[in-house]
Amino acid sequence: MRLGHDRDQQLFAASVRALLGRECMPEHARAGFSPKRWEALAGIGVPGLLVPGQYGGLGLGAGELAAVAEEAGRACAPEPVIEAAVAAALLTHAADGKDTGRAADWLRALADGGATAAVALCPAAPVAHAVHADFVLVARDDALYGMPAAAARIVPVGGVDPGRALGRIDTVVRAPGAALLLATGQGAALAEAARLGAIAAAADLLGSARAMLDLTVQYAGRREQFGRSIGTYQAVKHKLADVLTAIEFARPTVLRAAHSYDHALPSAARDAAMAKVFASDAADLAARACLQVHGAIGYTEECDLSLWLRRVWALSSAWGDAAHHRAAVADDLLGPDPAPACPPR
Amino acid sequence: MDRLLYLTLCQIMLARVTDLAFTVAEEDFRCEIREWLAAHVPREPLPSMDTAEGFRAHQEWERELYDAGWAVVGWPARYGGRDASLFEWLIFEEEYWRSGAPGRVGQNGIFLFAPTLFEYGTEEQKNRILPPMARGEQIWVQGWSEPGAGSDLAALRSRAVRDERRGGWVLSGQKTWSSRGAFGHRLFGLFRTDPAAGRHRGLTYLMADLAADGVSVRPIRQLDGEPGFAEVFLDDVFVPDADVLGEPGQGWNVAMSTTGSERGLSLRSPGRFLAAADRLVALYGQVRAGTTPGRRTPDTYRDAVADAWMRAEAYRLYVFQTVTRLQEGGVVVGAESSLNKVFWSELDADLHTTAQRLLGPHAETGGPWLDGYLFALAGPIYAGTNEIQRNVIAERLLGMEREPKGGRR
Ligand SMILES: Cc1cc2nc3c(=O)[nH]c(=O)nc-3n(C[C@H](O)[C@H](O)[C@H](O)COP(=O)(O)OP(=O)(O)OC[C@H]3O[C@@H](n4cnc5c(N)ncnc54)[C@H](O)[C@@H]3O)c2cc1C
């Protein structure tokens, strides 16, 4: 029995943290996706984390991804780290060990940082990082299609977090240039990829929540009212203590989910759902508490807190919100929800 | 370049990886305790340990555990334990609570006092005190709180005055809320030995016999109607030097090692909550199937049931993480234990509230769920209230400025 990031996961996370500490200060994060930063991240293997070695990636798993995503959240990095990982998992399925073909090409392009991906697993929902994606993967009826961005007719749509560069993919999947990557009946592979996204988003949310908490602790120590720093008031302290508690108890659930994913354990689906429940709840609590403790300054775009608030508001419901995943755990634990059917008319 | 370096590092490092399986030896240990419990746990629940009859029955159960080598698995063998690792102890606890075995009447001795004895006790003290504690013969009672000293423990005023002639200390004052005080045998507590020294300084950690001359015990009925704790009045009670734990004047530091165990791992292991959560899931099923009378719409509480179960599970994982860190880094669990305390006590209260909701109109008629509910409601109060824990989390873990202390006197 051992529960904790491995030494190499820690080492990897530390190198990502150092890089983002230099290249992704809040003023950089504000400016959105940066090809230069993506290249730097590719230099240490981030986009190719889950790409098998045969295609030039690191061939690592969800454990490493979680460690890295947490750092991306901490730095509020507006790069498509989660999307690259999910795309890698899907394309690895599609390539099926072959060295040629679309999937193999995209895997190589992901790993060397030459291309970014967007992933549209739920129909109709806006797609994160679509605006600057080089190719997109689109799920329809249990099948997976891939197409270069140019073929996908991506329409930018606004969103609460500009860093997510949302777009609507406005195309039919059989458009010219689109390729069928996984034929119908691959629902399991799609569900597994969605799980990976949920785990990575959960890890990102932990890093984001911790960053907000740190900012807020500092602020509460500086800001004085009634002749003393607001951080000495218990109403403030206890809110932040609750945030720390929520984060610290969410983290091991994320580690476990990553472990279950990597080893394809029977509990993998439930473990991923549970991690997202705890991480979304912790991050939502952090956003709420940290905004409150900042007062009016926190309600401004200018305050750096806003970067993470926006990230968390979006990411806590992306890849399934807490309610969605909680219901999944409940179904698993208690049997399907016998929600009353519509009364007969 | 960076990437090559990274890959090389990955290859040369035999990293210890996350592994959520127990070893074969640990699984064997689990089977052994599970089988033993299946054969020995009393079929009918024992009467409440807070009654004279129940207290005796629970002592006998402790003796049975001891004879089979299960009373204090984590202790060294020479004191009656089996040198179990922390993970084995967690496994023991999971199986223990899963089996529906009786509550541990000796818990405050075994889980709170003993860890302090291991750290500060002399050989003589350990040899004298630990074996009868393990056998359930001597039930220890915690004597910290006083009428004027609750959360502010350092305000305590019970005194111990030096008696050179007899070679010991003379205690006077009043302790209160001492769990098992009504029927227990010995008390460990804090006493003021140097009233002139600062609040935390002039304190000494002492033990006293509840049957000694000058001790009177007044049982106090708790919300469940039973005398679960007691007031202890001390009127010139003599205690020999052999019953001082640690150095005179060092009582605060000695005591703080017990608070770590109380809030942290030992008092409330995950096993207890995992078992309660599994029973809650079963209760939902029974109420829904109509085999247990309950509310007609149990589905309203699906999310709450799932949440309780998930939080018990999260607590388990968190503790696995803590034990991993303890074993690898040799770090001590300090203020982090406050996170534990807040988490398990609120989880327990919410879990039992959910059970009450599932039972609906039948909740008030009593039974194990009502008992559990009442017990869970004390969790946020004892072992340092959750408000105090939140202060500790904010000040010691987040580094926030301490609030100004003191005020009108
Ligand atoms: C079931 C049970 C068993 C117990 N067993 C034992 C035992 O065996 N031995 C023993 O010595 N004691 C025991 N206790 C006592 C327990 O340790 C105390 O109840 C606890 O320390 C709180 O003290 P108090 O009850 O005096 O509350 P108080 O300290 O008076 O607190 C009352 C309220 O004020 C709040 N408060 C106080 N100070 C602050 C502050 N600085 N900031 C914010 N809020 C504050 C508290 O959080 C609480 O909500 C037991 C208690 C219970 C309920």
Side-chain angles (χ1 to χ4, degrees):
Chain A
M1 171 60 67
R2 183 187 183 284
L3 181 60
H5 277 309
D6 311 346
R7 291 260 290 287
D8 53 348
Q9 289 168 354
Q10 283 168 10
L11 192 86
F12 201 169
S15 65
V16 173
R17 188 174 193 163
L19 189 154
L20 292 176
R22 284 191 314 269
E23 315 265 324
C24 193
M25 314 274 280
E27 64 268 30
H28 307 130
R30 241 173 232 285
F33 174 75
S34 145
K36 187 168 146 278
R37 194 162 49 233
W38 189 243
E39 208 183 301
L41 285 167
I44 57 170
V46 170
L49 208 59
L50 273 88
V51 174
Q54 147 188 27
Y55 307 106
L58 294 178
L60 297 171
E64 288 76 14
L65 174 62
V68 168
E70 188 169 342
E71 295 306 329
R74 191 191 307 275
C76 211
E79 276 68 46
V81 172
I82 302 173
E83 287 68 18
V86 175
L90 288 166
L91 291 170
T92 303
H93 260 289
D96 199 21
K98 288 193 262 308
D99 275 330
T100 52
R102 269 292 177 74
D105 292 345
W106 275 329
L107 280 169
R108 275 189 289 267
L110 267 181
D112 68 20
T116 64
V119 183
L121 292 184
C122 23
V127 181
H129 301 286
V131 169
H132 49 72
D134 296 297
F135 66 91
V136 296
L137 303 180
V138 181
R140 283 289 145 78
D141 311 321
D142 262 14
L144 183 74
Y145 301 83
M147 62 203 84
R153 277 192 290 162
I154 295 162
V155 184
V157 290
V160 70
D161 177 13
R164 300 224 334 138
L166 293 178
R168 215 177 45 245
I169 296 181
D170 207 8
T171 187
V172 281
V173 286
R174 288 183 218 292
L180 175 67
L181 295 173
L182 292 170
T184 310
Q186 301 286 329
L190 297 179
E192 190 183 297
R195 246 160 17 231
L196 184 69
I199 295 167
D204 185 313
L205 285 164
L206 292 185
S208 301
R210 183 66 215 215
M212 289 193 288
L213 179 59
D214 290 345
L215 270 183
T216 308
V217 166
Q218 283 166 23
Y219 180 74
R222 280 199 313 271
R223 172 72 175 165
E224 291 193 2
Q225 285 294 278
F226 302 98
R228 54 179 167 126
S229 80
I230 58 167
T232 58
Y233 295 112
Q234 284 191 6
V236 169
K237 278 192 176 142
H238 289 193
K239 262 194 203 321
L240 301 185
D242 284 342
V243 172
L244 182 66
T245 309
I247 295 172
E248 291 303 309
F249 279 87
R251 184 170 292 105
T253 71
V254 175
L255 285 179
R256 196 263 294 266
H259 173 79
S260 302
Y261 179 92
D262 285 336
H263 294 82
L265 298 185
S267 62
R270 183 168 79 191
D271 296 344
M274 193 173 138
K276 189 63 166 52
V277 168
F278 280 100
S280 286
D281 281 348
D284 284 339
L285 182 75
R288 196 65 193 268
C290 292
L291 171 55
Q292 184 68 18
V293 169
H294 271 78
I297 191 85
Y299 201 71
T300 64
E301 198 170 70
E302 183 190 328
C303 180
D304 285 341
L305 182 70
S306 68
L307 294 171
W308 282 276
L309 290 175
R310 290 165 179 281
R311 186 181 188 91
V312 163
W313 289 332
L315 207 53
S316 86
S317 29
W319 302 100
D321 64 7
H324 169 87
H325 287 293
R326 182 176 281 112
V329 173
D331 286 351
D332 188 63
L333 206 59
L334 310 174
D337 189 354
C342 292
R345 278 163 204 264
Chain B
M1 176 60 189
D2 273 353
R3 173 138 148 233
L4 255 182
L5 176 74
Y6 172 74
L7 281 170
T8 327
L9 278 170
C10 281
Q11 277 159 6
I12 58 172
M13 253 182 6
L14 273 174
R16 282 178 289 193
V17 299
T18 287
D19 174 9
L20 293 180
F22 286 108
T23 63
V24 174
E26 286 163 341
E27 289 299 349
D28 286 348
F29 179 86
R30 186 189 290 280
C31 286
E32 196 188 336
I33 175 65
R34 183 177 289 185
E35 278 167 20
W36 188 86
L37 288 164
H40 292 86
V41 169
R43 264 176 240 294
E44 287 298 308
L46 303 181
S48 160
M49 70 169 82
D50 297 327
T51 61
E53 182 203 1
F55 194 85
R56 266 196 312 279
H58 279 79
Q59 271 188 286
E60 280 159 22
W61 166 250
E62 288 291 320
R63 177 68 202 218
E64 204 176 334
L65 277 176
Y66 174 85
D67 287 339
W70 297 116
V72 285
V73 291
W75 291 12
R78 67 175 182 284
Y79 301 120
R82 47 167 88 197
D83 292 295
S85 69
L86 276 174
F87 279 124
E88 284 170 334
W89 177 71
L90 291 171
I91 291 171
F92 167 83
E93 288 275 305
E94 286 184 14
E95 293 302 320
Y96 188 87
W97 297 110
R98 222 183 66 109
S99 74
R104 305 289 307 266
V105 67
Q107 65 169 3
N108 285 5
I110 293 171
F111 297 124
L112 307 183
F113 181 40
T116 317
L117 261 179
F118 281 118
E119 203 173 330
Y120 291 94
T122 62
E123 279 312 305
E124 185 280 323
Q125 287 173 327
K126 287 187 276 188
N127 288 328
R128 173 163 53 96
I129 296 168
L130 292 171
M133 183 193 292
R135 290 193 296 267
E137 286 163 21
Q138 255 176 16
I139 301 300
W140 285 82
V141 167
Q142 185 187 31
W144 288 18
S145 305
E146 297 182 3
S151 300
D152 187 9
L153 181 60
L156 65 89
R157 283 160 53 182
S158 291
R159 283 192 306 152
V161 176
R162 184 71 198 149
D163 183 336
E164 276 311 337
R165 192 178 56 77
R166 285 190 283 177
W169 301 82
V170 176
L171 313 185
S172 55
Q174 182 188 351
K175 294 290 176 183
T176 191
W177 317 131
S178 294
S179 298
R180 311 291 98 68
F183 307 104
H185 307 103
R186 292 187 42 88
L187 171 139
F188 59 96
L190 281 178
F191 294 85
R192 193 162 294 284
T193 42
D194 183 359
R199 277 162 36 97
H200 299 85
R201 282 167 197 272
L203 300 176
T204 300
Y205 200 117
L206 286 149
M207 309 165 219
D209 205 317
L210 289 175
D213 282 346
V215 178
S216 43
V217 173
R218 191 179 74 84
I220 304 172
R221 291 188 185 278
Q222 297 184 333
L223 284 177
D224 66 358
E226 304 296 352
F229 44 35
E231 282 180 302
V232 178
F233 297 90
L234 301 137
D235 187 11
D236 289 343
V237 178
F238 177 73
V239 166
D241 281 334
D243 282 344
V244 175
L245 188 56
E247 294 297 313
Q250 291 300 310
W252 185 261
N253 294 337
V254 179
M256 285 308 114
S257 76
T258 313
T259 37
S261 1
E262 187 172 13
R263 290 170 200 154
L265 278 181
S266 61
L267 185 69
R268 295 288 179 259
S269 76
R272 180 190 280 266
F273 308 111
L274 292 166
D278 284 342
R279 281 196 266 275
L280 181 69
V281 169
L283 177 69
Y284 166 85
Q286 291 151 10
V287 169
R288 203 164 115 185
T291 53
T292 294
R295 72 182 306 121
R296 286 194 307 160
T297 52
D299 293 327
T300 318
Y301 289 96
R302 280 175 71 84
D303 279 358
V305 172
D307 263 327
W309 186 88
M310 284 193 282
R311 284 162 75 189
E313 193 65 15
Y315 183 49
R316 180 181 196 235
L317 295 170
Y318 182 81
V319 169
F320 286 166
Q321 183 185 268
T322 305
V323 173
T324 299
R325 277 176 44 214
L326 280 172
Q327 289 187 341
E328 289 178 6
V331 289
V332 288
V333 180
E336 290 86 0
S337 64
S338 294
L339 295 169
N340 276 36
K341 205 268 154 161
V342 169
F343 194 82
W344 66 248
S345 58
E346 297 191 348
L347 137 69
D348 202 30
D350 292 345
L351 188 158
H352 283 89
T353 303
T354 302
Q356 293 297 95
R357 298 278 185 273
L358 285 174
L359 291 168
H362 302 274
E364 66 169 314
T365 54
W369 281 112
L370 181 62
D371 293 345
Y373 176 66
L374 292 178
F375 185 69
L377 290 180
I381 300 173
Y382 63 74
T385 70
N386 285 12
E387 289 72 30
I388 298 299
Q389 306 305 337
R390 287 184 165 92
N391 288 345
V392 172
I393 293 168
E395 290 170 7
R396 307 231 336 253
L397 296 178
L398 291 175
M400 298 180 76
E401 196 181 329
R402 298 179 76 97
E403 73 183 303
K405 286 259 159 66
R408 277 168 289 133
R409 272 285 116 105

